[in-house]
Amino acid sequence: MPERRNRMYFFYKHDDELMKRVQPLVNLAKEYGFVVVDDHTKANVIVSIGDDGSFLQAVRQTGFRDDCLYAGISTLSSRGFYCDFQIEDTEHMVQAASSEQIEVRRYPIIEVTIDNAASFFCLNECSIRSGIIKTFVMDVFIDDLHFETFRGDGMIVATPTGSTAYNKSVNGAVVDPLLPCIQVSELASLNNNRYRTLGSSFILSGKRKLTLKISPEGNHYPLIGMDNEALSIRHIEKIDIALSNRVIKTVRLKDNSFWEKVKRTFL
Ligand code: NAP
Ligand code: MN
């Protein structure tokens, strides 16, 4: 029998105003038989309260756990991409909490390996950007095939759920999260008779590996972003990016499919 998901951890910024708004949710959770824990490692439901940026942080700071369910509650006036609930709209929360069979959505995440050693996960995207005014150069490999030499501002490698974020701002495609894949988009590539890149975004199957080898030319290292966090490692030569075999599980609600969110947000 599957373990009952009844140990809940609330992730939020502990300021006075938000604490007041969170208290009724804590009471509601208890009313519905949840034990509210203050150590996230003991929880099997992790609830983020804030905006989509907070949800990204909640997942990151709790270690991208595969064995628990994440839920996002928006403190803004509307729901978000990761926030399936709005803080005042407790009706939907009660519905989800009281249903015997919660439907679970699985979001693909990417795994980034730096110099064959440290690895990190991203739920939205991994971004690599020049940290200086000059362009920077990197060699792009797909499954060890040298694909192109990139020169420009940088690149974004996005998950399907991240495709509506940074990736979309640079004209990347919006990708259905039911497709396990990664999308690579350029940031201001130089294209002329000396430098050539594909120029459009491309989508790789979840079985492929993307490798970026950063040219030591000029000894300038780029800024690496993992969702909304900057990586503190500076001297990097090689970055491998692939889809992880882990997923992030969230509650699936009836009236809130990915395409409903896209329509609600952009159209
Ligand atoms: P932020 O700078 O406050 O966020 C930018 C906006 O992106 C916010 O409105 C945020 O929503 C929204 N967002 C986050 N994830 C999204 C998703 N999966 N689909 C659609 N919209 C999404 O920083 P943040 O709130 O910490 O979010 C971090 C993300 O911002 C990064 O992962 C990156 O994707 C994105 N970003 C975008 C640009 C750009 O478009 N030029 C530049 C840098 C970073 P909320 O208001 O609900 O948080
Ligand atoms: Mn935000």
Side-chain angles (χ1 to χ4, degrees), residues 50-54 56 76 228:
D51 58 9
D52 281 338
S54 319
L56 294 169
L76 308 174
N228 51 8

Side-chain angles (χ1 to χ4, degrees), residues 226-251:
M226 310 265 173
D227 301 333
N228 51 8
E229 205 152 288
L231 186 72
S232 53
I233 312 175
R234 295 277 301 142
H235 292 234
I236 292 165
E237 283 169 17
K238 188 171 87 124
I239 307 171
D240 290 303
I241 306 175
L243 215 60
S244 166
N245 41 26
R246 270 198 218 190
V247 288
I248 290 299
K249 297 178 194 141
T250 64
V251 190

Side-chain angles (χ1 to χ4, degrees), residues 51-54 56 76 81-82 124-125 161-162 164-167 169 227-228 266:
D51 58 9
D52 281 338
S54 319
L56 294 169
L76 308 174
F81 274 89
Y82 294 115
N124 259 357
E125 77 284 292
T161 54
T164 49
Y166 199 177
N167 167 76
S169 303
D227 301 333
N228 51 8
F266 299 112

Side-chain angles (χ1 to χ4, degrees), residues 80-258:
F81 274 89
Y82 294 115
C83 297
D84 285 288
F85 304 93
Q86 199 278 334
I87 193 160
E88 265 91 46
D89 176 20
T90 46
E91 199 184 305
H92 275 101
M93 299 180 209
V94 166
Q95 248 175 46
S98 51
S99 62
E100 278 286 300
Q101 286 261 273
I102 289 184
E103 278 202 72
V104 173
R105 220 200 254 130
R106 291 175 167 78
Y107 288 151
I109 57 175
I110 53 185
E111 189 167 351
V112 181
T113 309
I114 309 284
D115 289 335
N116 295 324
S119 74
F120 303 88
F121 294 108
C122 302
L123 179 55
N124 259 357
E125 77 284 292
C126 172
S127 58
I128 297 106
R129 278 188 298 168
S130 173
I132 51 160
I133 297 300
K134 285 178 67 158
T135 56
F136 85 100
V137 183
M138 59 190 170
D139 282 304
V140 179
F141 297 80
I142 298 173
D143 286 342
D144 301 323
L145 159 84
H146 181 265
F147 185 61
E148 61 183 15
T149 300
F150 178 92
R151 189 175 195 112
D153 283 4
M155 268 189 174
I156 300 169
V157 185
T159 63
T161 54
S163 69
T164 49
Y166 199 177
N167 167 76
K168 190 173 182 300
S169 303
V170 297
N171 267 321
V174 172
V175 176
D176 196 316
L178 289 177
L179 294 172
C181 61
I182 58 175
Q183 177 168 191
V184 186
S185 297
E186 299 181 347
L187 295 171
S189 59
L190 259 168
N191 266 287
N192 54 33
N193 293 333
R194 270 188 296 156
Y195 307 118
R196 181 72 51 216
T197 59
L198 186 63
S200 60
S201 296
F202 54 93
I203 294 178
L204 297 177
S205 139
K207 296 196 178 77
R208 298 210 190 270
K209 179 182 74 171
L210 182 83
T211 302
L212 306 174
K213 284 191 186 155
I214 294 152
S215 158
E217 194 182 302
N219 213 15
H220 296 298
Y221 290 92
L223 299 172
I224 314 244
M226 310 265 173
D227 301 333
N228 51 8
E229 205 152 288
L231 186 72
S232 53
I233 312 175
R234 295 277 301 142
H235 292 234
I236 292 165
E237 283 169 17
K238 188 171 87 124
I239 307 171
D240 290 303
I241 306 175
L243 215 60
S244 166
N245 41 26
R246 270 198 218 190
V247 288
I248 290 299
K249 297 178 194 141
T250 64
V251 190
R252 190 162 96 199
L253 300 175
K254 281 192 185 66
D255 61 341
N256 210 21
S257 72
F258 177 74

